[in-house]
Amino acid sequence: MLQLADMRLWSGRVDSEDGKAGKRWHQDIVPLHLDSPPGLAILGFASDEGVRRNKGRIGAAKGPRILRLALANLPKTFGAPLYDAGNVRVEKDDLESGQSMLGARITDLMTAGHFPLVLGGGHEIAFGSYQGIARWMREQQREKTLGIINFDAHLDLRLPAPKGSSGTPFFQIAEQCDVNGRPFNYLCVGAAATANTPALYHRAEELGAQVISDREIVPWRIELVQKQIADFIERVDFVYLTIDLDVFPAAVMPAVSAPAGRGVAFELFEPLLDTVLESKKVCLADIAEFNPYFDIEDHAARTAARVVFQIANGIKG
Protein backbone atom coordinates (compact mmCIF):
# COMPACT_ATOMS: atom_id res chain seq x y z
CA MET A 1 0.00 0.00 0.00
CA LEU A 2 1.24 3.48 -0.85
CA GLN A 3 1.11 6.00 2.00
CA LEU A 4 1.39 9.76 1.63
CA ALA A 5 4.19 11.61 3.42
CA ASP A 6 3.47 12.41 7.06
CA MET A 7 5.10 15.82 7.34
CA ARG A 8 4.39 15.96 11.10
CA LEU A 9 7.49 13.79 11.55
CA TRP A 10 9.70 16.58 10.22
CA SER A 11 10.14 18.99 13.11
CA GLY A 12 13.01 20.20 15.23
CA ARG A 13 15.31 23.05 16.16
CA VAL A 14 15.19 26.33 14.27
CA ASP A 15 18.23 28.66 14.27
CA SER A 16 16.60 31.63 12.56
CA GLU A 17 19.46 33.93 13.56
CA ASP A 18 21.77 32.01 11.20
CA GLY A 19 19.59 32.42 8.13
CA LYS A 20 19.90 29.95 5.26
CA ALA A 21 23.20 28.57 6.61
CA GLY A 22 21.38 27.46 9.76
CA LYS A 23 18.72 25.39 8.00
CA ARG A 24 17.99 21.81 8.95
CA TRP A 25 16.31 19.02 7.00
CA HIS A 26 12.93 19.56 8.63
CA GLN A 27 12.90 23.16 7.39
CA ASP A 28 13.71 22.28 3.80
CA ILE A 29 11.91 19.01 3.08
CA VAL A 30 8.56 19.12 1.29
CA PRO A 31 6.14 16.44 0.04
CA LEU A 32 6.97 15.09 -3.39
CA HIS A 33 4.61 16.06 -6.23
CA LEU A 34 4.44 14.95 -9.85
CA ASP A 35 5.96 18.22 -11.06
CA SER A 36 8.69 18.48 -8.38
CA PRO A 37 12.13 19.35 -9.83
CA PRO A 38 14.72 16.55 -9.54
CA GLY A 39 16.12 16.12 -6.06
CA LEU A 40 16.72 13.68 -3.22
CA ALA A 41 13.56 11.67 -2.49
CA ILE A 42 13.19 9.93 0.88
CA LEU A 43 10.99 6.84 0.48
CA GLY A 44 10.05 4.42 3.25
CA PHE A 45 9.55 0.66 2.98
CA ALA A 46 7.59 -0.43 6.03
CA SER A 47 8.05 -4.19 6.11
CA ASP A 48 8.64 -6.89 8.70
CA GLU A 49 7.45 -9.83 6.63
CA GLY A 50 10.85 -10.75 5.20
CA VAL A 51 12.42 -10.70 8.66
CA ARG A 52 9.55 -12.79 10.05
CA ARG A 53 10.04 -15.39 7.30
CA ASN A 54 13.77 -15.39 8.06
CA LYS A 55 13.05 -16.03 11.77
CA GLY A 56 14.49 -12.67 12.86
CA ARG A 57 13.43 -10.07 15.41
CA ILE A 58 10.27 -8.26 14.33
CA GLY A 59 10.11 -4.46 14.40
CA ALA A 60 11.80 -3.09 11.27
CA ALA A 61 8.45 -1.95 9.83
CA LYS A 62 8.64 0.96 12.29
CA GLY A 63 12.09 1.90 10.97
CA PRO A 64 11.07 4.49 8.34
CA ARG A 65 9.07 6.50 10.89
CA ILE A 66 11.79 6.60 13.55
CA LEU A 67 14.54 7.27 11.02
CA ARG A 68 12.67 10.30 9.73
CA LEU A 69 12.53 11.64 13.28
CA ALA A 70 16.30 11.12 13.55
CA LEU A 71 16.93 12.83 10.19
CA ALA A 72 14.79 15.89 10.91
CA ASN A 73 17.45 17.86 12.82
CA LEU A 74 20.33 17.18 10.44
CA PRO A 75 21.91 20.33 8.98
CA LYS A 76 20.96 20.90 5.33
CA THR A 77 24.40 21.01 3.73
CA PHE A 78 23.59 20.23 0.09
CA GLY A 79 21.79 22.40 -2.41
CA ALA A 80 19.46 19.93 -4.14
CA PRO A 81 15.74 19.86 -3.30
CA LEU A 82 14.74 17.42 -0.53
CA TYR A 83 11.47 15.50 -0.69
CA ASP A 84 9.45 13.03 1.34
CA ALA A 85 7.95 10.52 -1.09
CA GLY A 86 5.90 8.69 1.55
CA ASN A 87 5.97 4.96 2.29
CA VAL A 88 5.31 1.65 0.66
CA ARG A 89 3.73 -0.53 3.36
CA VAL A 90 3.58 -4.33 3.13
CA GLU A 91 0.07 -5.51 3.96
CA LYS A 92 -0.19 -8.61 6.19
CA ASP A 93 2.04 -11.32 4.69
CA ASP A 94 1.95 -10.13 1.07
CA LEU A 95 5.64 -9.27 0.77
CA GLU A 96 5.79 -9.92 -2.96
CA SER A 97 3.15 -7.30 -3.77
CA GLY A 98 4.94 -4.84 -1.51
CA GLN A 99 8.27 -5.42 -3.25
CA SER A 100 6.62 -5.00 -6.65
CA MET A 101 4.98 -1.77 -5.51
CA LEU A 102 8.31 -0.51 -4.14
CA GLY A 103 9.97 -1.29 -7.47
CA ALA A 104 7.30 0.59 -9.41
CA ARG A 105 7.61 3.61 -7.13
CA ILE A 106 11.40 3.64 -7.49
CA THR A 107 11.16 3.43 -11.29
CA ASP A 108 8.81 6.42 -11.31
CA LEU A 109 11.18 8.43 -9.10
CA MET A 110 14.26 7.61 -11.16
CA THR A 111 12.47 8.32 -14.46
CA ALA A 112 11.53 11.74 -13.07
CA GLY A 113 15.20 12.44 -12.32
CA HIS A 114 15.11 11.97 -8.55
CA PHE A 115 17.66 10.07 -6.47
CA PRO A 116 15.69 7.63 -4.29
CA LEU A 117 17.05 7.07 -0.78
CA VAL A 118 14.93 4.27 0.67
CA LEU A 119 14.52 3.62 4.40
CA GLY A 120 13.67 0.07 5.51
CA GLY A 121 12.32 -2.19 6.66
CA GLY A 122 14.06 -5.54 6.51
CA HIS A 123 16.62 -6.42 3.88
CA GLU A 124 13.85 -7.82 1.71
CA ILE A 125 13.90 -4.19 0.58
CA ALA A 126 16.75 -5.13 -1.76
CA PHE A 127 14.65 -7.26 -4.11
CA GLY A 128 12.11 -4.44 -4.45
CA SER A 129 14.82 -1.85 -4.99
CA TYR A 130 16.42 -4.01 -7.66
CA GLN A 131 13.10 -4.43 -9.49
CA GLY A 132 12.82 -0.65 -9.69
CA ILE A 133 16.35 -0.16 -10.98
CA ALA A 134 16.07 -3.03 -13.48
CA ARG A 135 12.87 -1.59 -14.95
CA TRP A 136 14.43 1.88 -15.16
CA MET A 137 17.48 0.45 -16.91
CA ARG A 138 15.34 -1.45 -19.40
CA GLU A 139 13.44 1.72 -20.22
CA GLN A 140 16.26 4.28 -20.11
CA GLN A 141 19.70 2.63 -20.04
CA ARG A 142 19.41 -0.52 -22.10
CA GLU A 143 23.09 -1.17 -22.73
CA LYS A 144 24.36 -0.24 -19.27
CA THR A 145 25.50 -2.62 -16.52
CA LEU A 146 24.65 -2.57 -12.82
CA GLY A 147 26.82 -3.44 -9.85
CA ILE A 148 25.41 -4.14 -6.38
CA ILE A 149 27.45 -3.15 -3.33
CA ASN A 150 26.05 -4.53 -0.10
CA PHE A 151 27.55 -3.54 3.26
CA ASP A 152 26.35 -6.44 5.36
CA ALA A 153 27.40 -9.11 7.84
CA HIS A 154 25.29 -11.55 5.81
CA LEU A 155 25.58 -12.62 2.18
CA ASP A 156 21.75 -12.87 1.93
CA LEU A 157 22.04 -15.56 -0.72
CA ARG A 158 19.68 -18.05 0.91
CA LEU A 159 17.38 -20.12 -1.28
CA PRO A 160 13.71 -19.13 -1.07
CA ALA A 161 12.07 -21.91 0.95
CA PRO A 162 9.68 -21.63 -0.69
CA LYS A 163 9.20 -17.85 -0.49
CA GLY A 164 11.65 -14.98 -0.41
CA SER A 165 12.71 -13.39 2.87
CA SER A 166 15.20 -10.88 4.23
CA GLY A 167 17.86 -13.56 3.72
CA THR A 168 17.19 -14.28 0.03
CA PRO A 169 17.19 -11.00 -1.95
CA PHE A 170 20.53 -11.32 -3.72
CA PHE A 171 19.88 -14.91 -4.77
CA GLN A 172 16.53 -13.72 -6.15
CA ILE A 173 18.33 -10.91 -7.98
CA ALA A 174 20.84 -13.42 -9.40
CA GLU A 175 17.92 -15.50 -10.70
CA GLN A 176 16.39 -12.43 -12.36
CA CYS A 177 19.72 -11.54 -13.95
CA ASP A 178 20.00 -15.06 -15.35
CA VAL A 179 16.46 -14.98 -16.76
CA ASN A 180 17.05 -11.59 -18.40
CA GLY A 181 20.54 -12.32 -19.71
CA ARG A 182 22.14 -9.75 -17.43
CA PRO A 183 25.41 -10.16 -15.49
CA PHE A 184 25.12 -10.56 -11.72
CA ASN A 185 27.70 -8.14 -10.33
CA TYR A 186 27.59 -8.43 -6.54
CA LEU A 187 30.06 -7.30 -3.89
CA CYS A 188 29.34 -7.96 -0.20
CA VAL A 189 31.48 -5.88 2.17
CA GLY A 190 31.76 -6.86 5.83
CA ALA A 191 30.59 -10.49 5.68
CA ALA A 192 31.07 -12.36 8.96
CA ALA A 193 32.22 -15.98 9.04
CA THR A 194 29.98 -16.51 12.07
CA ALA A 195 26.89 -15.33 10.18
CA ASN A 196 27.19 -17.34 6.94
CA THR A 197 27.25 -21.10 6.43
CA PRO A 198 29.66 -22.87 4.06
CA ALA A 199 26.68 -23.40 1.74
CA LEU A 200 26.26 -19.62 1.41
CA TYR A 201 29.95 -19.05 0.66
CA HIS A 202 29.83 -21.85 -1.91
CA ARG A 203 26.77 -20.25 -3.51
CA ALA A 204 28.54 -16.89 -3.62
CA GLU A 205 31.45 -18.53 -5.42
CA GLU A 206 29.13 -20.28 -7.89
CA LEU A 207 27.40 -16.98 -8.68
CA GLY A 208 30.68 -15.11 -9.13
CA ALA A 209 30.01 -12.81 -6.18
CA GLN A 210 32.87 -10.97 -4.51
CA VAL A 211 33.18 -10.99 -0.73
CA ILE A 212 35.23 -8.81 1.62
CA SER A 213 35.08 -10.16 5.15
CA ASP A 214 34.77 -8.06 8.29
CA ARG A 215 38.21 -9.30 9.42
CA GLU A 216 39.80 -7.80 6.31
CA ILE A 217 38.52 -4.33 7.20
CA VAL A 218 41.22 -3.15 9.58
CA PRO A 219 43.17 0.15 9.61
CA TRP A 220 46.34 -1.21 8.02
CA ARG A 221 44.38 -2.71 5.07
CA ILE A 222 41.84 0.04 4.49
CA GLU A 223 43.48 1.38 1.30
CA LEU A 224 43.57 -2.12 -0.17
CA VAL A 225 39.88 -2.61 0.58
CA GLN A 226 39.12 0.78 -0.98
CA LYS A 227 40.96 -0.35 -4.11
CA GLN A 228 38.97 -3.60 -4.23
CA ILE A 229 35.75 -1.59 -4.10
CA ALA A 230 36.99 0.92 -6.69
CA ASP A 231 38.03 -1.90 -9.05
CA PHE A 232 34.54 -3.43 -8.77
CA ILE A 233 32.89 -0.08 -9.51
CA GLU A 234 35.14 0.55 -12.51
CA ARG A 235 33.67 -2.49 -14.29
CA VAL A 236 30.03 -1.29 -14.12
CA ASP A 237 28.04 1.72 -15.28
CA PHE A 238 25.72 2.12 -12.29
CA VAL A 239 25.86 1.10 -8.64
CA TYR A 240 23.00 0.07 -6.39
CA LEU A 241 24.17 0.74 -2.83
CA THR A 242 22.46 -1.16 -0.02
CA ILE A 243 23.46 -1.00 3.63
CA ASP A 244 22.29 -3.53 6.18
CA LEU A 245 22.91 -1.83 9.51
CA ASP A 246 23.95 -5.14 11.09
CA VAL A 247 27.30 -4.60 9.38
CA PHE A 248 28.21 -2.49 12.44
CA PRO A 249 29.19 -3.91 15.85
CA ALA A 250 26.29 -4.68 18.19
CA ALA A 251 27.63 -2.08 20.64
CA VAL A 252 27.13 0.59 17.95
CA MET A 253 24.07 -0.90 16.27
CA PRO A 254 22.01 -3.04 18.67
CA ALA A 255 18.73 -2.17 16.93
CA VAL A 256 18.77 -4.73 14.11
CA SER A 257 17.31 -8.15 13.45
CA ALA A 258 20.64 -9.95 14.00
CA PRO A 259 23.29 -7.89 15.89
CA ALA A 260 26.91 -8.48 14.87
CA GLY A 261 29.42 -10.01 17.28
CA ARG A 262 32.29 -8.15 15.60
CA GLY A 263 31.14 -5.94 12.75
CA VAL A 264 32.91 -3.17 10.86
CA ALA A 265 34.06 -0.18 12.90
CA PHE A 266 32.19 2.97 11.92
CA GLU A 267 35.39 4.99 11.45
CA LEU A 268 36.51 2.40 8.85
CA PHE A 269 33.11 2.16 7.20
CA GLU A 270 32.99 5.90 6.42
CA PRO A 271 36.02 5.99 4.05
CA LEU A 272 34.73 2.86 2.31
CA LEU A 273 31.36 4.52 1.79
CA ASP A 274 33.14 7.62 0.48
CA THR A 275 34.90 5.43 -2.09
CA VAL A 276 31.51 4.27 -3.39
CA LEU A 277 29.96 7.74 -3.40
CA GLU A 278 32.93 9.46 -5.04
CA SER A 279 32.52 7.22 -8.07
CA LYS A 280 29.35 9.22 -8.96
CA LYS A 281 27.83 5.98 -10.24
CA VAL A 282 25.35 5.35 -7.42
CA CYS A 283 21.80 5.52 -8.82
CA LEU A 284 19.91 4.39 -5.72
CA ALA A 285 20.67 3.68 -2.05
CA ASP A 286 18.73 1.99 0.70
CA ILE A 287 19.15 1.35 4.43
CA ALA A 288 17.90 -1.94 5.88
CA GLU A 289 17.13 -3.74 9.13
CA PHE A 290 16.79 -0.80 11.56
CA ASN A 291 14.56 -2.08 14.39
CA PRO A 292 13.71 0.75 16.80
CA TYR A 293 12.29 -1.64 19.43
CA PHE A 294 15.85 -2.63 20.34
CA ASP A 295 17.42 0.83 20.31
CA ILE A 296 19.06 2.32 23.40
CA GLU A 297 18.39 6.04 23.91
CA ASP A 298 18.30 6.53 20.10
CA HIS A 299 21.97 5.54 19.70
CA ALA A 300 21.28 3.32 16.68
CA ALA A 301 18.87 5.82 15.11
CA ARG A 302 21.52 8.53 15.31
CA THR A 303 24.12 6.24 13.77
CA ALA A 304 21.76 5.35 10.91
CA ALA A 305 20.99 9.04 10.41
CA ARG A 306 24.70 9.76 10.09
CA VAL A 307 24.94 7.12 7.34
CA VAL A 308 22.03 8.75 5.50
CA PHE A 309 23.64 12.16 5.95
CA GLN A 310 26.88 10.91 4.37
CA ILE A 311 25.01 9.40 1.43
CA ALA A 312 22.92 12.54 0.87
CA ASN A 313 25.95 14.80 0.83
CA GLY A 314 27.98 12.37 -1.29
CA ILE A 315 25.23 12.23 -3.90
CA LYS A 316 23.90 15.78 -3.86
CA GLY A 317 26.67 17.76 -2.15
Side-chain angles (χ1 to χ4, degrees), residues 224-290:
L224 178 59
V225 176
Q226 286 178 294
K227 186 177 186 307
Q228 288 177 272
I229 293 172
D231 288 346
F232 175 85
I233 293 171
E234 188 176 354
R235 296 193 293 271
V236 300
D237 297 300
F238 296 106
V239 170
Y240 160 37
L241 169 65
T242 180
I243 299 171
D244 188 323
L245 295 170
D246 70 22
V247 75
F248 300 118
V252 174
M253 186 53 63
V256 289
S257 174
R262 181 190 188 277
V264 176
F266 199 85
E267 63 269 22
L268 299 179
F269 163 81
E270 286 183 313
L272 299 182
L273 180 55
D274 280 338
T275 298
V276 179
L277 298 173
E278 288 166 4
S279 72
K280 302 303 181 184
K281 291 184 178 182
V282 180
C283 62
L284 180 145
D286 60 38
I287 306 290
E289 300 283 341
F290 175 64

Side-chain angles (χ1 to χ4, degrees), residues 190-211:
T194 54
N196 299 281
T197 63
L200 292 171
Y201 282 110
H202 180 64
R203 192 164 299 128
E205 186 176 358
E206 284 185 327
L207 293 170
Q210 297 182 44
V211 181

